[in-house]
Amino acid sequence: MKNDLASLQFGLPFRTDEGNKGSFGRCVVIGGCANYVGAPQFAAESAAEVLALAGEAAMRSGAGTTVLAVPDFLASALYKTVRYSAVFPLPSKDGGIVFDEETAKKLAKGATSFAVGMGMGRGDALGYVRFLLDKTDAPFVLDADGLACAKEVDSFAGRAVLTPHTGEFARMTEMTADEIARDPAGAAASYAARHECVLVLKSHESVITDGREIWINSTGNSRLSKGGSGDVLAGIIAGLLAWKVPALLAARTGAYTLGRSAEFSRTNAISHLPDDIMSTLPLAFDELQGVMRI
């Protein structure tokens, strides 16, 4: 089915004037690592920018508050970059996040959604995924480097949204890109049903499925062909999950609004950056809510 405006427009819950930031959830973004290519300071700033994008996108899509959980050595770089999120340093070793259950319990207190994997390198995404599944009831997005651990998880218990592009999906499934291309919707739906998750298979037309329903999203353009766009998508979906939007609807809405934001952008495709999506994302949500701007 086509993932269009009419099918999404009345699905999102209403926000009341009586609500406050605590009413709309707390999204925790876990990611970041050391990059041994290039100057360490540049690497730290790049990782901080990726995570800041995800955190801001989560708030743009409705989360009341966000927390960026990063390896301890990245915290100082984030303090210079982050505008709206809190920063939570995590234990690290050899440049990557190390899972520690006591730290994870503190981080999870009050959290209503998570996004795991952006810029994480070889950090322990699997430790956090297992902790979220076993010790919490929070939904989460698994993206980017975090997807490498998906082969170790038999079931996501209906609580995860996975957001691979074709190459990442090939590595997750040991299928070839050509095999996926022959039937992307079928491959995605089979995986989602088998692993009890929502899957967003990203491409110029993205497949969004929970294994039962299959939606095709065609919004977007070449402005999204830049590193960081996927991190924004993960943030949007995690922000929607934070205020109790169901996983399939959150994934569909995320894919649609990311694409529409690129279509609304006045920045040309050559110069467009993921940051530019932040200025047009409100227009995409206005459209979903039927808001007319004068």
Side-chain angles (χ1 to χ4, degrees), residues 41 44-45 48-49 52 74-83 87:
Q41 182 61 31
E45 290 175 356
E49 181 65 21
L74 275 185
S76 59
L78 274 167
Y79 293 142
K80 303 171 188 175
T81 305
V82 172
R83 294 186 291 170
V87 176

Side-chain angles (χ1 to χ4, degrees), residues 93-247:
K93 182 180 180 181
D94 298 330
I97 290 170
V98 174
F99 176 75
D100 173 75
E101 185 162 348
E102 289 307 310
T103 303
K105 287 178 180 177
K106 293 176 184 177
L107 181 62
K109 188 175 181 180
T112 55
S113 76
F114 288 79
V116 181
M118 288 73 74
M120 200 167 183
R122 296 185 180 182
D124 192 2
L126 181 59
Y128 273 97
V129 168
R130 285 179 170 160
F131 172 80
L132 292 175
L133 290 172
D134 295 343
K135 304 295 185 180
T136 80
D137 59 3
F140 60 95
V141 178
L142 189 62
D143 183 43
D145 297 325
L147 292 165
C149 78
K151 288 194 289 187
E152 306 298 324
V153 181
D154 292 328
S155 172
F156 290 96
R159 288 170 42 208
V161 178
L162 279 60
T163 55
H165 56 59
T166 299
E168 290 166 333
F169 190 55
R171 290 189 288 274
M172 288 163 52
T173 60
E174 298 184 352
M175 299 175 69
T176 67
D178 287 341
E179 287 172 334
I180 296 167
R182 282 196 287 273
D183 183 14
S190 176
Y191 183 94
R194 190 165 62 253
H195 294 279
E196 297 182 284
C197 65
V198 172
L199 188 82
V200 181
L201 181 54
K202 299 182 292 192
S203 187
H204 69 286
E205 286 196 337
S206 296
V207 177
I208 307 105
T209 179
D210 61 356
R212 296 177 295 276
E213 296 182 33
I214 298 174
W215 297 85
I216 306 298
N217 188 77
S218 57
T219 61
N221 53 38
S222 61
R223 291 183 179 89
L224 296 176
S225 302
K226 296 285 181 74
S229 297
D231 303 303
V232 174
L233 174 63
I236 295 170
I237 297 172
L240 291 162
L241 292 174
W243 55 294
K244 307 300 183 185
V245 175

Side-chain angles (χ1 to χ4, degrees), residues 256-292:
Y256 181 90
T257 54
L258 178 76
R260 283 296 283 148
S261 297
E263 292 171 357
F264 278 124
S265 178
R266 298 292 182 90
T267 306
N268 68 73
I270 295 172
S271 304
H272 192 271
L273 293 173
D275 305 68
D276 297 319
I277 294 168
M278 299 305 172
S279 62
T280 53
L281 192 56
L283 300 178
F285 277 103
D286 277 353
E287 187 176 61
L288 282 181
Q289 297 176 86
V291 174
M292 297 295 292

